[in-house]
Amino acid sequence: MSSEVREPAGAVTDAAGGGWADLPGDTALTIRVPEVNPLVRTGLPAHVTVLYPFLNTSRFTASTHADLTNLFAAHAPFTLAFTEFRRYPGVLYLPPRPETPVRALTASLTARWPEAVPYRGVFTPPLAPHLTLANHEGPDTYQAAYDALESELAPHLPIVGRVDTVHLIVTDGAGGAWRDLATYRLGVRYGVRPTTEYGSSSHAG
């Protein structure tokens, strides 16, 4: 999920890659926000990362998907609002409001799988929930470039999206595409649904 936090690499990469290499079988859990897709300049669907990295697929057991289904079923659907721009070095993003339900999902996952350390422990504390709009500019250009981009995108805010699913995505390795592995319903003991390609990037995010 690396399009969000190319941070250590000069910005903040997102869920799967901020300056570190994604490994074959790396997974992440993300929330899609299709209402924001027209604003995103990363080449990925608009998303808020719940947990990157999650377990490598080599560590999945027969019960992993069932455990995830039950965990997400215990959380009710919620609504997120995106009302303002913020920046990390090299990154323009939207903070979701409220953050609480996203943080609650992350907390449940890391309580169940404590070995799944957010962002591999690179950020202390871990990055706050965010939806990356752009992360292509370097340290000498991003301020002016994102001033212009904010002016262009500002008329589209606020944006509100309903969240009732969480996507499990997987990569074949650094620089490869991320694709959907399963979709989990919030508040519903429904099972998992296989889905389609996520996009190309060095991360999920």
Side-chain angles (χ1 to χ4, degrees), residues 11-12 42-43 50-51 61 76 96 110 112 119-120 132 135 156 170 172 177-178 186 203-204:
V12 187
T42 64
V50 177
L51 181 59
T61 68
T110 54
R112 170 62 182 80
Y119 299 103
R120 304 195 200 278
T132 296
N135 60 0
H156 299 280
V170 62
D172 294 326
W178 285 79
L186 296 178
H203 106 157

Side-chain angles (χ1 to χ4, degrees), residues 3-174:
S3 148
E4 250 197 323
V5 184
R6 298 201 181 245
E7 264 59 38
V12 187
T13 23
D14 188 45
W20 53 80
D22 300 323
L23 304 175
D26 270 354
T27 64
L29 290 152
T30 69
I31 292 167
R32 298 280 176 77
V33 189
E35 296 86 352
V36 184
N37 280 340
L39 281 64
V40 173
R41 302 294 187 265
T42 64
L44 293 172
H47 65 281
V48 176
T49 298
V50 177
L51 181 59
Y52 165 82
F54 182 53
L55 305 181
N56 190 278
T57 52
S58 64
R59 300 194 54 200
F60 277 42
T61 68
S63 64
T64 301
H65 288 298
D67 289 347
L68 285 167
T69 298
N70 292 333
L71 184 149
F72 289 119
H75 291 261
F78 52 90
T79 297
L80 293 178
F82 301 88
T83 63
E84 63 180 327
F85 300 101
R86 290 192 182 174
R87 299 179 192 181
Y88 293 120
V91 176
L92 178 67
Y93 70 94
L94 300 173
R97 293 291 179 262
E99 292 185 352
T100 305
V102 181
R103 289 185 180 274
L105 292 174
T106 305
S108 292
L109 289 162
T110 54
R112 170 62 182 80
W113 291 280
E115 65 272 34
V117 179
Y119 299 103
R120 304 195 200 278
V122 170
F123 304 103
T124 304
L127 295 174
H130 59 282
L131 191 159
T132 296
L133 297 177
N135 60 0
H136 55 280
E137 295 289 339
D140 297 330
T141 61
Y142 82 90
Q143 295 288 16
Y146 294 160
D147 284 348
L149 186 55
E150 283 189 21
S151 296
E152 174 189 344
L153 300 181
H156 299 280
L157 300 185
I159 294 176
V160 177
R162 183 70 172 165
V163 178
D164 58 12
T165 57
V166 176
H167 293 257
L168 176 68
I169 61 177
V170 62
T171 182
D172 294 326

